[in-house]
Amino acid sequence: MTHVLIVGAGPTGLTLAVELARRGVGMRIVERSPGPATGVRAKGLQPRTLEVFDDLGVIGEVLATGGEYPPVRAYRGEEVTWEGRMDRLREPSPRAPYPNMIVQPQWRTERILRDRLAELRHRVEFGAELTGFEQDESGVTATLGTGETVRCSYLVGADGGRSTVRRRLGVPFAGSTSENEHILLADVRTRDLDRDHYHMWAVAEPGMHLSLCPLPHTDVFQIIAAHRGVDDLPAVVASYAPHVRLDEVLWRSEYRVNVRMAERFRVGRVFLAGDAAHVHSPAGAQGLNTGVQDAYNLGWKLAAGSAALLDTYEAERLPVAGHVLRLSTDLHRREDVVLGDGTDQLGLAYPGSPLSVGERGGRRLGALFREQRGTGFLLLGDVTDDHGLRALPSPEGRPGVLLVRPDGYVGYHGDESGLGAYLSAWGIAAPPAAR
């Protein structure tokens, strides 16, 4: 019997698989597709996601193969009407070591995570579609299209917006789908544009736009085109930019803008994460990143195995997903989007969580990243003001402590005498002595 069965091997499922594998948790990850995805789909990795990837041991490869967003060149037909940045580049600091969003094709992000998973002696089981499951008090019995039956303690649906897991749970997916606005995604080659700019066109009709973004360390551009029911890609491009010819279309897909969120992120021993739990407009590059954060939140809790801890997954992530959904929807409706204005996910926190105690409880620590690497808690005593982390003194004048969760958020902030009761209540083993 495996402890966790993960359904779906996109960025969310792979992040969760790495999280569990590095903790030695018995897990399997299955994917209905016959092999790795090839299209770009999402391409923006936010600063908070980069911090997670640092902890997972893949940040070096992510940065080496990705790149910062190039400056924008806006057009009307062939005429350049504006040049500038849609983000504000910031210098790394002790509180934000990766302050800028990185362009990284989703297929490469997934490949990097699969490679890390292989280092941990696990692999994705492609061509293994979940066809059904039943749960009882002691576990979940899942059936695969291969004919295999899998018994697991927990099942996680990270299987996208059309999630089989969510549908079989019967969880409503409330929200809206734009019936008029169609989005074409494509990976293309063209010799008619330079690779130093993010090329963009818009027309008078609200919501209609075309963009071509050069993908780092490739000769490929990603096209995002909004249109009204026209599915001929060269014709769509020509309607905005008659001078741009497509030499080759490597991959393409089409979708309608969905803004939806599941009413529940957990039903018994089954969890939803990533697009299975919430789907966003592409504005602000929030979807993939929110899914990674779901997995990072859930992974250490599944490893700890405490029923009380697992209850906090939905309590923490559902409000965050709702906030991010509203943000991405607002950005989608605006024309003056500046990436980084609330999109970096560094300010997201869990102040109302039952896991959060004290003034700093639920807040991202935002410091001591090297010390946080790994799978355990970090207990801090009377920390110097260099990091702005000095714990509040107790009424008796003794210094307080900060207990940092494995996902980088402060769990307990207060008098050391209350720490034992906190750990006991959540079934958490005592961490090492305070630093």
Side-chain angles (χ1 to χ4, degrees):
M1 178 172 174
T2 191
H3 190 60
V4 181
L5 177 65
I6 303 168
V7 182
T12 300
L14 287 167
T15 297
L16 180 59
V18 172
E19 268 287 83
L20 296 174
R22 69 181 184 145
R23 288 176 163 81
V25 174
M27 51 74 58
R28 291 173 63 178
I29 177 169
V30 298
E31 166 60 48
R32 69 171 70 120
S33 302
T38 56
V40 168
R41 297 176 177 86
K43 63 181 180 295
L45 298 181
Q46 297 287 358
R48 179 57 185 153
T49 298
L50 297 176
E51 293 177 0
V52 173
F53 287 168
D54 183 325
D55 187 32
L56 298 185
V58 299
I59 190 62
E61 183 71 5
V62 166
L63 295 180
T65 58
E68 293 179 345
Y69 266 74
V72 171
R73 179 170 282 174
Y75 301 81
R76 181 179 295 108
E78 297 184 41
E79 178 189 1
V80 177
T81 59
W82 181 80
E83 290 188 1
R85 299 199 64 87
M86 63 178 183
D87 59 351
R88 298 188 178 101
L89 294 181
R90 295 170 288 178
E91 291 297 319
S93 69
R95 299 192 66 80
Y98 310 107
N100 302 308
M101 186 162 64
I102 294 296
V103 180
Q104 183 64 276
Q106 182 172 328
W107 63 261
R108 189 185 287 146
T109 298
E110 292 178 5
R111 190 262 298 163
I112 291 170
L113 289 169
R114 283 196 308 272
D115 288 348
R116 177 65 176 132
L117 192 60
E119 292 176 359
L120 297 166
R121 301 182 182 276
H122 287 271
R123 64 178 181 83
V124 175
E125 300 175 41
F126 288 105
E129 180 178 7
L130 179 80
T131 57
F133 62 87
E134 295 181 354
Q135 60 175 314
D136 52 48
E137 291 184 359
S138 60
V140 182
T141 301
T143 55
L144 304 179
T146 59
E148 182 183 3
T149 298
V150 181
R151 182 68 175 170
C152 53
S153 299
Y154 301 99
L155 185 148
V156 180
D159 51 341
R162 298 178 179 178
S163 170
T164 297
V165 175
R166 187 190 64 246
R167 292 201 306 269
R168 288 189 172 271
L169 285 174
V171 173
F173 204 36
S176 62
T177 298
S178 173
E179 296 299 332
N180 296 321
E181 185 178 359
H182 296 247
I183 303 292
L184 279 174
L185 281 182
D187 302 342
V188 304
R189 291 190 175 101
T190 178
R191 289 167 289 180
D192 294 332
L193 295 171
D194 69 76
R195 298 190 59 81
D196 299 321
H197 294 86
Y198 195 152
H199 305 273
M200 293 185 174
W201 289 259
V203 295
E205 188 177 359
M208 297 295 97
H209 58 82
L210 168 74
S211 67
L212 282 89
C213 179
L215 302 174
H217 303 285
T218 75
D219 61 351
V220 175
F221 289 84
Q222 183 197 42
I223 285 181
I224 302 178
H227 66 100
R228 299 293 191 197
V230 179
D231 62 1
D232 182 88
L233 183 59
V236 171
V237 172
S239 69
Y240 290 93
H243 63 295
V244 177
R245 295 158 297 179
L246 303 183
D247 299 323
E248 186 177 6
V249 178
L250 303 172
W251 172 87
R252 60 164 287 167
S253 181
E254 183 173 358
Y255 68 94
R256 296 172 183 172
V257 174
N258 282 284
V259 179
R260 295 183 179 274
M261 190 169 76
E263 290 187 4
R264 300 280 307 279
F265 285 14
R266 179 191 184 186
V267 178
R269 291 178 170 269
V270 182
F271 298 83
L272 299 173
D275 285 358
H278 42 79
V279 291
H280 308 247
S281 91
Q286 297 296 290
L288 179 155
N289 295 275
T290 305
V292 167
Q293 304 305 323
D294 289 344
Y296 198 49
N297 182 289
L298 181 58
W300 69 273
K301 296 173 181 178
L302 284 169
S306 161
L309 276 177
L310 291 175
D311 284 340
T312 68
Y313 169 68
E314 180 178 281
E316 292 185 342
R317 293 306 299 169
L318 195 149
V320 166
H323 165 78
V324 174
L325 209 62
R326 290 188 293 272
L327 172 65
S328 60
T329 301
D330 180 59
L331 291 174
H332 182 70
R333 294 169 177 164
R334 289 168 51 189
E335 297 180 355
D336 58 341
V337 175
V338 178
L339 296 178
D341 289 2
T343 65
D344 58 20
Q345 301 202 349
L346 296 178
L348 297 179
Y350 310 121
S353 168
L355 261 178
S356 302
V357 173
E359 181 181 324
R360 293 187 59 88
R363 293 169 58 185
R364 165 179 163 271
L365 183 68
L368 305 174
F369 292 95
R370 181 178 300 175
E371 290 80 359
Q372 288 186 69
R373 288 178 185 149
T375 60
F377 289 78
L378 177 64
L379 183 59
L380 300 173
D382 191 19
V383 184
T384 67
D385 286 330
D386 294 342
H387 299 290
L389 297 172
R390 184 175 295 279
L392 294 175
S394 69
E396 294 78 15
R398 297 189 303 272
V401 295
L402 289 166
L403 179 68
V404 186
R405 302 165 14 166
D407 57 358
Y409 293 88
V410 175
Y412 179 87
H413 177 201
D415 188 347
E416 188 171 3
S417 65
L419 182 60
Y422 175 86
L423 296 172
S424 177
W426 296 106
I428 300 170
R435 301 190 182 191

